Amino acid sequence: MPRALNGLRVRLVVAFTLVAVVATVTTGALTFREARTGVLQQSQDTVIEDFRHRVNTLVPNYRFPPDETDLQTFAADVSRGGRSQNWRVLVAYRQASATSEPGDAFRELSPEMRESVRTRRATVFQRVTRDGHSALVVGMPVTFAGDYSTERPASGLEVYLTVPQREEQGYVDALVSAIERATVPALALAVLIALLAARGVLRPVRALRRATRSIAEGRLDTRLAVQGSDELADLSRTFNETAAALEGSVAELRRMEAGARRFAADVSHELRTPLAAMSAVTDVLDEDAAGLDEDTATAVRLISEETTKLAGLVDDLMEISRFDAGAAALHLDDIDLAESVRRTLATRGWPDTVRTSLPGPGELRGRVDPRRLDVIVANLVANALRHGAPPVRLGLREEHDPRAGRQAVIEVHDGGDGIPDDVLPQVFDRFYKSDSARVRSEGSGLGLAITTENVRLHGGTVRAANHPDGGAVFTVVLPLRPRGAGDRTAHTDEEDRP
């Protein structure tokens, strides 16, 4: 269902309209029933009273028992009692009968009604409908005069009256038309009220939606104007309180995060100079280590190794601080990816240690940052050599994704025991060690985190898994930008330094 047809405004209008329809129909039906009953009851009482009075007035003027002529005259005299409507009268005495009008004037008269008149000795009536026309049928037995304390004996004379209710039907039809005409304005008024109510309800809801979207976009100082004291006003106050608390918490977190980044960057920067001096000294000591005694030479080599590790850790911290500060930028260049990977392995002395499956020269080219690609490959291979087992295999191939286009896929697979399942989700976290008891390692614990940031900077993905044949496999997918694509403006190393 489209969103517009399922919105709160539509539901409010539909609800108000349904309530108005139910209320209008119910009120109209009850009004119609009561009015119709009142009209017919009044007409019925008037006709019966006039009919009874007419019969009682005329009966003493006729001899008894009557013959057919008397019956015919009596029926005609009674029928003239109708004031505004045509009375049709049937007079019956035993087997004889006469009517005020020729023809079958009493089709509406049922056998049950005639039996009731004969047996009950009381005036009876019923309303009947034939051929879409309504009529009132009244039956009355004529009794002999007598003491009111005893039951009057029946004379055998029966008088029946049929009165068409055209006038009453006209009143009822007019009432139905009036109700129908009143329904349309009532529904229009209900829809108008629903729109006004929906507008009043949706105005703060829309304001809340805009404010929530503004908060989601990072504008934490967004607040709502509170009006009134209803539930929506309470909701606005709660939103403002929540937004204020969130703004304070985020500001504190940002302050702490900025302080931590600045501390790491400052420490790393300050360590560079003494580390450079220490590295120069250890290089000199390494050259003279052969002429020193065994204990001194061992100490010199240990100092040299630890200084090298410390220098690598400082470099990694500086790199991480650039990512955290948002100062890392891409220096894109159109290069041969396979040749770049070969150069990375050769520079670090790994050509004979790592088995490669690479495309031929010039077969796979793409626009990437050569330095960051070198870091990605070096960190993955070093991680495989350090924590896995031979053989270490490195593969590079091109794939085509229907949505992303050309992609370069780099896979590094080692022959070790693989990565425990509980470690896989945290393997790219900073300083994460799968063995909490192992407080020292040959690496800084930042290699895979730096790899992740470099891959993400290219718009790619990196994932770790266990190969079905054993060992861990790291897969990097880098989108290959077409030639001429817009590049981000790169900074020099001095500008990247936080």
Side-chain angles (χ1 to χ4, degrees):
M1 180 179 291
R3 183 178 178 182
L5 298 180
N6 199 29
L8 184 58
R9 180 191 296 274
V10 175
R11 282 183 283 173
L12 285 174
V13 172
V14 170
F16 271 86
T17 304
L18 289 178
V19 171
V21 169
V22 173
T24 303
V25 171
T26 303
T27 304
L30 294 176
T31 303
F32 170 74
R33 188 183 68 177
E34 294 298 325
R36 179 177 181 274
T37 301
V39 169
L40 295 179
Q41 186 68 41
Q42 181 180 4
S43 173
Q44 167 190 303
D45 294 343
T46 302
V47 169
I48 293 175
E49 184 65 28
D50 290 345
F51 178 55
R52 183 184 294 114
H53 176 73
R54 184 70 174 172
V55 171
N56 291 336
T57 302
L58 294 176
V59 162
N61 299 330
Y62 291 86
R63 62 184 179 179
F64 196 86
D67 56 18
E68 291 186 3
T69 302
D70 294 333
L71 293 178
Q72 185 68 46
T73 304
F74 182 65
D77 287 344
V78 174
S79 67
R80 284 191 285 270
R83 299 175 182 177
S84 59
Q85 301 187 41
N86 182 28
W87 281 14
R88 293 181 297 165
V89 179
L90 169 67
V91 180
Y93 181 72
R94 296 180 180 176
Q95 301 302 322
S97 63
T99 61
S100 62
E101 293 183 359
D104 187 9
F106 280 83
R107 295 175 298 171
E108 299 88 353
L109 187 59
S110 63
E112 292 79 7
M113 186 173 186
R114 296 200 63 174
E115 181 65 23
S116 179
V117 171
R118 292 192 186 101
T119 58
R120 293 181 59 186
R121 298 179 186 178
T123 302
V124 296
F125 65 91
Q126 67 177 166
R127 281 188 290 267
V128 297
T129 302
R130 186 181 294 274
D131 300 331
H133 300 288
S134 178
L136 176 64
V137 180
V138 183
M140 184 178 69
V142 177
T143 59
F144 291 110
D147 188 0
Y148 285 99
S149 62
T150 61
E151 184 178 357
R152 295 182 179 185
S155 64
L157 181 63
E158 303 168 11
V159 186
Y160 298 94
L161 169 67
T162 298
V163 182
Q165 295 187 305
R166 298 187 184 91
E167 185 175 348
E168 290 79 0
Q169 187 63 42
Y171 292 150
V172 173
D173 293 341
L175 182 61
V176 172
S177 300
I179 293 176
E180 290 176 349
R181 288 192 300 270
T183 300
V184 175
L187 293 180
L189 181 61
V191 172
L192 178 60
I193 295 175
L195 291 174
L196 293 177
R199 182 180 181 184
V201 171
L202 293 179
R203 185 185 296 112
V205 173
R206 286 194 295 267
L208 179 61
R209 181 183 62 186
R210 290 192 296 267
T212 304
R213 186 177 299 164
S214 179
I215 291 287
E217 292 173 354
R219 295 188 288 273
L220 301 180
D221 58 343
T222 304
R223 299 293 184 272
L224 289 173
V226 181
Q227 298 177 352
S229 58
D230 55 7
E231 290 80 0
L232 291 175
D234 292 340
L235 179 61
S236 299
R237 294 190 188 92
T238 303
F239 174 85
N240 290 341
E241 294 171 359
T242 304
L246 179 62
E247 183 180 17
S249 299
V250 172
E252 180 65 17
L253 289 174
R254 287 175 176 172
R255 186 189 65 78
M256 295 174 62
E257 183 182 4
R261 286 200 306 265
R262 185 166 52 253
F263 175 77
D266 291 344
V267 170
S268 301
H269 188 268
E270 293 299 326
L271 287 176
R272 272 191 164 184
T273 301
L275 280 176
M278 292 173 62
S279 297
V281 172
T282 55
D283 288 342
V284 174
L285 293 177
D286 283 340
E287 293 177 357
D288 298 336
L292 302 175
D293 60 86
E294 184 177 354
D295 293 338
T296 304
T298 301
V300 167
R301 292 188 184 94
L302 179 60
I303 293 174
S304 177
E305 291 175 1
E306 294 300 324
T307 301
T308 303
K309 292 179 182 179
L310 183 58
L313 175 60
V314 170
D315 289 339
D316 288 344
L317 287 174
M318 291 292 294
E319 187 73 8
I320 284 292
S321 65
R322 292 190 184 98
F323 287 118
D324 291 342
L330 290 175
H331 300 259
L332 297 178
D333 194 8
D334 188 3
I335 63 172
D336 185 333
L337 301 184
E339 180 60 28
S340 176
V341 171
R342 293 189 184 95
R343 190 181 303 113
T344 297
L345 299 178
T347 302
R348 291 162 177 81
W350 293 335
D352 298 331
T353 307
V354 180
R355 301 179 184 178
T356 59
S357 176
L358 305 175
E363 293 183 7
L364 180 55
R365 301 185 64 86
R367 291 184 61 79
V368 297
D369 187 325
R371 184 183 73 84
R372 298 191 183 279
L373 178 61
D374 175 77
V375 172
I376 292 171
V377 175
N379 285 349
L380 291 179
V381 174
N383 181 76
L385 293 172
R386 185 180 303 117
H387 300 292
V392 175
R393 303 179 181 86
L394 187 151
L396 174 64
R397 67 180 185 275
E398 179 180 352
E399 290 183 354
H400 187 275
D401 186 88
R403 292 177 295 180
R406 294 175 61 235
Q407 295 178 332
V409 179
I410 303 173
E411 285 187 351
V412 177
H413 176 207
D414 64 65
D417 297 330
I419 304 174
D421 293 337
D422 59 334
V423 174
L424 277 175
Q426 293 86 28
V427 72
F428 293 104
D429 294 348
R430 300 176 184 181
F431 299 108
Y432 179 78
K433 294 181 174 64
S434 59
D435 185 1
S436 58
R438 183 169 52 89
V439 296
R440 291 181 54 83
S441 65
E442 297 180 6
S444 64
L446 294 173
L448 292 181
I450 292 175
T451 298
T452 302
E453 296 295 342
N454 281 313
V455 172
R456 194 174 296 161
L457 198 62
H458 281 85
T461 59
V462 57
R463 61 182 183 272
N466 290 315
H467 198 275
D469 297 332
V473 55
F474 288 81
T475 304
V476 174
V477 179
L478 297 177
L480 299 180
R481 304 190 179 193
R483 297 170 183 261
D487 301 340
R488 292 176 55 183
T489 302
H491 301 285
T492 64
D493 287 345
E494 289 298 323
E495 293 172 332
D496 283 348
R497 188 174 301 158

